[in-house]
Amino acid sequence: PGRFVRVNTGGLNFGWGCVTFFQHKIIKEKGKKSNPHAAEEELKRQGADGYIVDVLLHCKRADSATLRKLEATSATEGEMAIVPCELSDTSGETMVVPVLLSCIDCISSVCVHMPKDLKSASDRKDMRKRMAEVDKRLKGNIPLLDPIKEMNIKDAEFKTLVQKIGSLEAKLREHKLFGTAEEAELFTSYQRKVEMQTQLKDVQRKIIDAQSAVQLDELKCRKRVLRRLGYTMAEDVITMKGRVACEITSGDELLLTELMFHGVFNDLTTEQTVSLLSCFVFQEKTKNEPPQLQDDLAAPLRIMQESAHKIAQTSNECKLQMNEEEYVESFRPELMDVVNAWCRGAKFSQICRMTDVFEGSLIRAFRRLEELLRQMCQAAKAIGNVDLENKFADGSIKIKRDIIFAASLYL
């Protein structure tokens, strides 16, 4: 307290004043409990704006005409209740003004004695006289606080930065606009220009990113794979096979379409079909080894894995890098026997004993499976295969029962 500081904000220089108190900026969010660690991190992020300094300043309360003038010249952000005033001007008022630390542009080595209480107007008036006397004795040249000599900072890098700041400030004072009335207006206009340039660069970068996506080699390779598998023509026109693949989003659309067009589902029962489709919706790893499936489930699984190998090989031939083994193993058969039992009328407690998968994971897998069956119905309808459409619809009916599809688990 008592340290001379100079306040400059919004292009208005309030001159020198005395520090009376300072504190951290209090950060509160409505409806949330205070978190000391979060508040500390927020203060670090705000930097100089995280502190509030109470400064005794001699200023005037701005009238409406002055406020309109300031707003027209964009000298300040919003309305200011006070404007600068000379210490010798008796029409002004000496008051304690809270300012952000970032609004203090200079700290002086001068420090005066402060009274314990500044509530009375007479005490504030005495302080104004004391500040005016200091300014008169020093002839307006208030000495600045030397961070190296007076604060005993010995860091070599800091000393270099102070020297650079000194040289830059000397060049700034030599500029013809320094201290003129139009300096603040031009500076505000320049700030707007910099902000607009930054926004322009962001938009240009987004445009470049969007355009580059079209030119990616990966996109060309994917188009080559689709042409090789018959989903598009040489002119990039979507074929019937491609339209069917567009109906499927809950599973691997390429592999499911290949199985459909090769007639794999035609020779399977409804239970076998639903069991095979479970490989496309269950992605979790289990502790146990893959189950030993019966022949009626192992045969369609083997056909599906062979088709997956062919898709992976075609992708690699088209220079779309794909790990063949990982791709095939991504279709997990752990729930095939569980789904088969459920389709045949087993209870939920019975299928839970057949696997180590958590009950919640089972319910999620069955609901995804029902969604996939609905999409497969639409895909079969797109090619006009009524028998296959009815088979998928029947599978959806068989699994959509009991607690798995209850509206709420709280019965």
Side-chain angles (χ1 to χ4, degrees), residues 107-131:
I107 301 177
S108 172
S109 59
V110 177
C111 192
V112 296
H113 176 72
M114 295 284 294
K116 293 182 179 180
D117 190 6
L118 289 171
K119 292 182 180 180
S120 65
S122 60
D123 289 336
R124 295 196 298 272
K125 186 176 180 181
D126 291 341
M127 280 302 302
R128 180 187 69 82
K129 292 179 180 179
R130 196 175 300 177
M131 289 190 294

Side-chain angles (χ1 to χ4, degrees), residues 333-361:
E334 281 83 354
L335 291 186
M336 287 188 69
D337 53 352
V338 174
V339 173
N340 185 53
W342 181 257
C343 289
R344 296 180 184 279
K347 296 181 179 180
F348 186 72
S349 58
Q350 293 174 334
I351 65 171
C352 287
R353 288 193 292 269
M354 296 173 64
T355 179
D356 62 342
V357 179
F358 292 109
E359 292 84 349
S361 299

Side-chain angles (χ1 to χ4, degrees), residues 15 36 72 75 85 92 137 171-172 197 224-225 246 384 390 393-394:
C85 176
R137 290 186 181 183
K171 290 181 181 180
L172 181 64
Q197 286 177 338
R224 198 178 298 123
V225 171
C246 291
N390 293 335
D394 185 41

Side-chain angles (χ1 to χ4, degrees), residues 200-349:
L200 178 62
K201 288 180 180 178
D202 291 340
V203 173
Q204 288 176 339
R205 186 170 59 252
K206 290 179 181 178
I207 292 173
I208 292 172
D209 292 342
Q211 291 175 343
S212 63
V214 181
Q215 302 171 354
L216 288 175
D217 292 335
E218 183 182 353
L219 179 60
K220 294 179 181 179
C221 295
R222 290 181 182 276
K223 290 170 68 176
R224 198 178 298 123
V225 171
L226 293 176
R227 286 196 294 268
R228 183 77 65 86
L229 293 174
Y231 292 85
T232 60
M233 299 180 183
E235 300 81 11
D236 290 338
V237 178
I238 299 177
T239 62
M240 176 58 71
K241 201 173 183 181
R243 294 183 183 278
V244 172
C246 291
E247 298 289 337
I248 305 169
T249 58
S250 297
D252 190 290
E253 56 272 10
L254 293 184
L255 182 54
L256 286 167
T257 305
E258 291 296 314
L259 295 176
M260 186 179 293
F261 274 79
H262 289 152
V264 175
F265 296 114
N266 295 339
D267 300 326
L268 300 179
T269 64
T270 301
E271 291 79 10
Q272 289 175 311
T273 300
V274 178
S275 300
L276 184 61
L277 290 178
S278 68
C279 301
F280 294 84
V281 297
F282 182 71
Q283 303 295 330
E284 298 182 16
K285 294 183 179 180
T286 58
K287 299 178 182 179
N288 298 338
E289 293 292 326
Q292 297 294 325
L293 300 175
Q294 299 177 0
D295 292 340
D296 60 338
L297 297 180
L301 174 64
R302 190 163 47 250
I303 297 173
M304 185 265 287
Q305 290 175 339
E306 291 173 359
S307 299
H309 277 291
K310 291 179 182 178
I311 291 176
Q313 290 170 2
T314 304
S315 299
N316 289 323
E317 290 171 3
C318 296
K319 297 182 180 180
L320 181 62
Q321 297 301 320
M322 180 182 290
N323 190 311
E324 189 173 333
E325 294 301 323
E326 287 183 3
Y327 179 69
V328 175
E329 290 175 1
S330 65
F331 305 103
R332 310 186 68 84
E334 281 83 354
L335 291 186
M336 287 188 69
D337 53 352
V338 174
V339 173
N340 185 53
W342 181 257
C343 289
R344 296 180 184 279
K347 296 181 179 180
F348 186 72
S349 58

Side-chain angles (χ1 to χ4, degrees), residues 38 42 47 90 95 102 104 109 151 158 189 201 221 225 272 276 339 357 381 401 404:
E42 181 65 18
T90 55
M95 63 181 74
S102 58
I104 297 175
S109 59
M151 297 181 69
F158 181 79
S189 300
K201 288 180 180 178
C221 295
V225 171
Q272 289 175 311
L276 184 61
V339 173
V357 179
K381 187 176 182 180
R401 63 179 178 85
I404 292 180

